[in-house]
Amino acid sequence: MRPETPAETTQAPPVAPVPAARQGEGDREAHLEQAQRLERVAERHPEDAEQLLLRAAAHFELADDRSRASALYDGLLAGAPEDPALIRALKAANLWEYGHEAEAQAIVSGVRAAAPGTPGPWIVVTQALEAHDELEEAHATYQEAVALLLDGSAPPPYEARPLLIGRHRVRRLLGLEHDAWDTMADALNPASVPLDELHDPNRTWVLGSDSPEELRAEITRLQAELATYRAALSRPFPVAVLHWPEPELTELLASYPALATEYPSYEAHTASIESALRDLAASGIPNLGIVRATVPSYEAFAAAESTTPTTPALLPLYTTTLATRALATPWPPHPGAPCWCGAEAGYEECHGAG
């Protein structure tokens, strides 16, 4: 049996806006092409249109075509989106970047009043407020978010940690004393540089120094902060591996016995997945993920590709397509989380053991 085939997926662009002046014409054209490609994919896969169009909007923003990004956000909000608060937050951040400050602030106020129960909208609006020097409002918004979403007696979920890190940053800029949330942010900070140093307002003065040593030290600190920021907000899965849940694998092999050479047993299949992902992690590849297959979707995919499900080359292509449609889940699971295979045992007691 050969190991599961990792698949390259489309990397989602960062939420934070990139100034157009720093991008060459080639970069702009590349982002426009990617946005238009995602729009075409969304037409073919309406069930995943929301995630695909959000990625397209981000590429339009990176290409400094912000009006087209706003049009996508408006189109999504005109329907029945799964996460309207996040879309409104992204729309506000985009509007603010091209001169519609009053409308952006009104949308931000609406998002805060709606008090969404997920971190994403809060992260976007707080960072938009920070980016435009609305530090008091950013701090108040961080306060609302952590009070709503976080329990001070337990570590926050991974996706909410940017709220604590950002709150610490704003409080440092405002000269506020540390509190319990700041202490927790310090403990969760994965960078080698302490948060107090990363968020020191006086660092900005160093950038005007004539000392090469001071400038190099500041660049190192900024790189550490950027790495922390990217790790906290990262959503894409550049490399993903295909997982057939046991009932689906049983159905697959009953319908297509020729694939038994690929999957001699469910136990071998899941062991191969874990082994492949560990090898990829050991080689330094970040942001690994798992996509779950179903027989109906695989058959439909084979039909769309004008081939048969028993074609071996179809499996990695199917994996890539699922991951590109934002259907990957991160690997490894967080400590204490259920195992990715679906077993009742936690990951550390199941495939994460040993």
Side-chain angles (χ1 to χ4, degrees):
M1 178 189 67
R2 57 187 177 89
E4 298 296 320
T5 306
E8 294 265 337
T9 77
T10 301
Q11 176 140 346
V15 171
V18 176
R22 294 195 176 188
Q23 298 188 65
E25 187 61 28
D27 292 334
R28 183 176 184 276
E29 290 301 320
H31 284 301
L32 288 173
E33 289 177 7
Q34 180 72 345
Q36 291 159 359
R37 187 189 71 82
L38 287 166
E39 287 183 303
R40 292 193 296 271
V41 174
E43 290 179 359
R44 296 197 300 270
H45 300 283
E47 69 278 14
D48 299 312
E50 183 171 333
Q51 290 298 321
L52 292 165
L53 291 176
L54 285 178
R55 292 188 178 196
H59 279 289
F60 279 132
E61 291 188 35
L62 289 165
D64 201 35
D65 198 340
R66 295 187 175 276
S67 60
R68 291 178 74 177
S70 285
L72 285 183
Y73 294 138
D74 288 338
L76 287 168
L77 290 169
E82 294 180 8
D83 197 345
L86 177 61
I87 298 171
R88 290 190 184 96
L90 290 168
K91 178 183 176 182
N94 179 55
L95 287 170
W96 214 329
E97 289 299 318
Y98 72 114
H100 298 270
E101 179 179 346
E103 185 179 355
Q105 288 182 322
I107 296 173
V108 167
S109 297
V111 172
R112 292 172 64 182
T118 56
W122 293 104
I123 292 170
V124 174
V125 296
T126 49
Q127 289 181 354
L129 289 164
E130 275 192 75
H132 295 277
D133 295 323
E134 300 284 348
L135 296 184
E136 295 286 353
E137 283 301 303
H139 182 249
T141 308
Y142 277 121
Q143 294 284 81
E144 294 166 11
V146 298
L148 177 68
L149 300 178
L150 306 184
D151 177 0
S153 63
Y158 185 76
E159 61 273 13
R161 294 184 183 186
L163 292 171
L164 279 184
I165 302 296
R167 180 181 179 276
H168 182 288
R169 180 174 56 249
V170 169
R171 289 174 63 82
R172 191 81 168 86
L173 290 169
L174 292 173
L176 301 177
E177 295 293 330
H178 268 207
D179 61 8
W181 289 116
D182 290 323
T183 301
M184 182 177 288
D186 279 324
L188 295 171
N189 172 33
S192 58
V193 181
L195 282 186
D196 272 349
E197 188 174 352
L198 285 173
H199 297 160
D200 182 359
N202 292 325
R203 287 188 308 149
T204 56
W205 295 103
V206 177
L207 296 175
S209 171
D210 293 329
S211 168
E213 290 76 16
E214 288 184 351
L215 288 171
R216 277 194 290 267
E218 181 59 17
I219 289 169
T220 299
R221 286 192 289 267
L222 288 169
Q223 287 173 333
E225 183 172 12
L226 180 60
T228 302
Y229 173 82
R230 284 176 172 170
L233 290 183
S234 179
R235 293 292 185 271
F237 302 95
V239 177
V241 174
L242 188 67
H243 171 223
W244 292 92
E246 189 168 12
E248 296 293 336
L249 185 61
T250 300
E251 182 181 346
L252 178 76
L253 296 179
S255 301
Y256 308 103
L259 291 175
T261 56
E262 297 283 334
Y263 306 111
S265 70
Y266 181 69
E267 290 73 19
H269 170 51
T270 54
S272 174
I273 292 172
E274 184 70 23
S275 175
L277 288 167
R278 291 190 183 195
D279 288 345
L280 290 167
S283 68
I285 297 176
N287 300 327
L288 301 173
I290 296 175
V291 289
R292 289 175 174 79
T294 67
V295 173
S297 75
Y298 184 58
E299 290 175 333
F301 182 76
E305 294 295 319
S306 301
T307 188
T308 64
T310 54
T311 304
L314 191 66
L315 289 166
L317 185 59
Y318 176 58
T319 307
T320 299
T321 301
L322 291 180
T324 302
R325 290 161 61 189
L327 298 178
T329 54
W331 179 95
H334 298 311
C339 187
W340 55 262
C341 72
E344 293 183 2
Y347 173 68
E348 292 179 331
E349 300 171 348
C350 191
H351 283 89

